[in-house]
Amino acid sequence: MKFTLRHLQVFLAVAREQSISRAAESLNMSQSATSAAVQELEHRYEIQLFDRSSKRLRLNHFGSAIRIKAEALMSHAKEFDAELLDKKDNGSLRIGASLTIGNYLAAKYLAVYMQQHPEAKVEMDVVSTPDVVAKVLNFSIDVGLIEADMHHDDLLFQPWREDNMIVFCAPNHPLAKKKSLSDKDILKASWILREPGSGLRLTFDRSMQGLLPKMHISLEFTHNEAIKNAVKTGLGIGCLSEIAIADEIQQGLLVPLTLKNRPMTRSFYFVTHKKMLIDHAVNNWIALCKSS
């Protein structure tokens, strides 16, 4: 065997960071030692794992294929090491959550999880659904919570819970007193929406099939709060998850609108990498979220 676990550790860090300097910092190594470890691994097998340009390294096709197996091998090695040291899993976990889930839903589950695992180190990244998926693919997080089934051969998607999206407007908007919106109303309105590619936007676009090319989408934002604030000023009507606007509707700051024959029910999902070992922490987190 020509490689060591240290070779794999350095290789994976460089693959993740795409930079010798950042990988060295994450491993508490010198840049020269980090670079030497990568070069040694390549020389021992007479292969090239990275495409090098300026100061950035990118995995080539062969390197990408090897990375998946290296991640699985390192995961098993860490588990084996823990068993040898007779250490119990303390529940440490890296979570990624889409904006709606992360801002309005995940905190209550996180609080319970931390009570159950007080010694655990838990990291949560709150980003858009495509970014959560990218982090799972990059092995930067252990499990993602997303708002759409994105479909990818390397990923496993598990349904979590249902969610309803609601169209809404300001109380003084001309549409506020209508019992339901017709297709004609939809086409006349100015819409304020999430950005294309987001989980919420994917559901909205599917619901508006046949109308979308003719609709007036005046503003697009990457954050739910920006949409709510723009709608409150009367700039147009919006569409968000019911969990994101529940408080404003209860306070009378926003008015929910009903659409004729255009349901906007969707599912939230857990997403994990098929090649990553699913440990007790991930299983415990998923079980907790499903239980309430």
Side-chain angles (χ1 to χ4, degrees):
M1 187 179 297
K2 297 182 179 181
F3 72 88
T4 66
L5 289 178
R6 190 58 166 173
H7 283 129
L8 294 187
Q9 187 181 31
V10 174
F11 163 65
L12 292 173
V14 176
R16 180 173 59 252
E17 301 293 345
Q18 299 184 50
S19 165
I20 290 291
S21 61
R22 290 197 298 269
E25 184 178 355
S26 70
L27 295 170
N28 292 319
M29 295 173 59
S30 67
Q31 293 187 34
S32 59
T34 303
S35 179
V38 173
Q39 293 177 16
E40 186 176 71
L41 178 61
E42 292 179 321
H43 290 161
R44 286 189 179 187
Y45 288 92
E46 298 181 354
I47 56 175
Q48 184 173 331
L49 299 170
F50 295 91
D51 292 327
R52 293 166 169 83
S53 60
S54 183
K55 294 183 179 180
R56 170 156 287 193
L57 287 78
R58 292 185 182 275
L59 284 173
N60 58 26
H61 181 73
F62 182 71
S64 297
I66 290 300
R67 178 186 181 182
I68 294 176
K69 296 181 179 179
E71 290 281 4
L73 182 58
M74 283 299 298
S75 181
H76 285 290
K78 290 177 181 178
E79 183 182 27
F80 180 61
D81 182 59
E83 290 185 9
L84 289 177
L85 294 172
D86 194 27
K87 287 184 178 179
K88 295 182 179 180
D89 183 5
N90 66 3
S92 293
L93 192 60
R94 300 173 301 169
I95 306 166
S98 64
L99 294 172
T100 298
I101 296 173
N103 289 328
Y104 304 102
L105 198 58
K108 68 175 184 179
Y109 298 108
L110 189 58
V112 175
Y113 187 87
M114 295 298 292
Q115 289 176 354
Q116 295 176 349
H117 305 276
E119 297 181 359
K121 177 183 178 183
V122 180
E123 302 174 9
M124 178 177 287
D125 286 338
V126 179
V127 291
S128 67
T129 288
D131 287 339
V132 173
V133 171
K135 286 178 178 291
V136 175
L137 285 170
N138 197 38
F139 299 98
S140 297
I141 57 177
D142 303 313
V143 58
L145 310 175
I146 61 174
E147 302 169 37
D149 184 353
M150 305 293 287
H151 299 291
H152 194 288
D153 291 341
D154 292 331
L155 300 179
L156 177 64
F157 295 88
Q158 299 182 53
W160 174 20
R161 54 176 287 171
E162 295 298 305
D163 177 60
N164 293 317
M165 289 168 47
I166 296 178
V167 174
F168 59 94
C169 67
N172 59 351
H173 192 279
L175 295 176
K177 295 182 179 181
K178 295 207 67 168
K179 292 183 178 180
S180 63
L181 303 188
S182 64
D183 285 356
K184 186 177 179 180
D185 295 323
I186 292 173
L187 292 176
K188 282 185 177 181
S190 293
W191 288 86
I192 304 170
L193 301 172
R194 281 288 303 276
E195 77 284 6
S198 64
L200 195 151
R201 184 63 179 271
L202 290 173
T203 301
F204 179 85
D205 287 355
R206 283 196 295 266
S207 179
M208 294 298 164
Q209 187 174 9
L211 296 182
L212 200 60
K214 301 177 184 178
M215 291 178 61
H216 179 215
I217 300 173
S218 58
L219 291 170
E220 295 174 330
F221 292 108
T222 57
H223 292 283
N224 297 340
E225 294 301 315
I227 294 174
K228 290 192 287 187
N229 289 333
V231 171
K232 288 175 186 177
T233 63
L235 290 176
I237 64 176
C239 180
L240 290 173
S241 166
E242 62 179 348
I243 63 176
I245 60 172
D247 289 344
E248 286 83 355
I249 289 177
Q250 184 177 11
Q251 296 167 14
L253 299 175
L254 294 172
V255 176
L257 301 173
T258 303
L259 305 186
K260 288 183 179 179
N261 303 318
R262 294 193 178 273
M264 291 191 186
T265 301
R266 59 177 180 166
S267 295
F268 291 160
Y269 293 86
F270 303 103
V271 55
T272 53
H273 202 296
K274 290 180 178 179
K275 300 297 184 179
M276 178 176 279
L277 180 68
I278 304 301
D279 59 16
H280 293 300
V282 173
N283 285 328
N284 289 340
W285 171 256
I286 291 176
L288 170 64
C289 292
K290 284 185 174 181
S291 67
S292 57

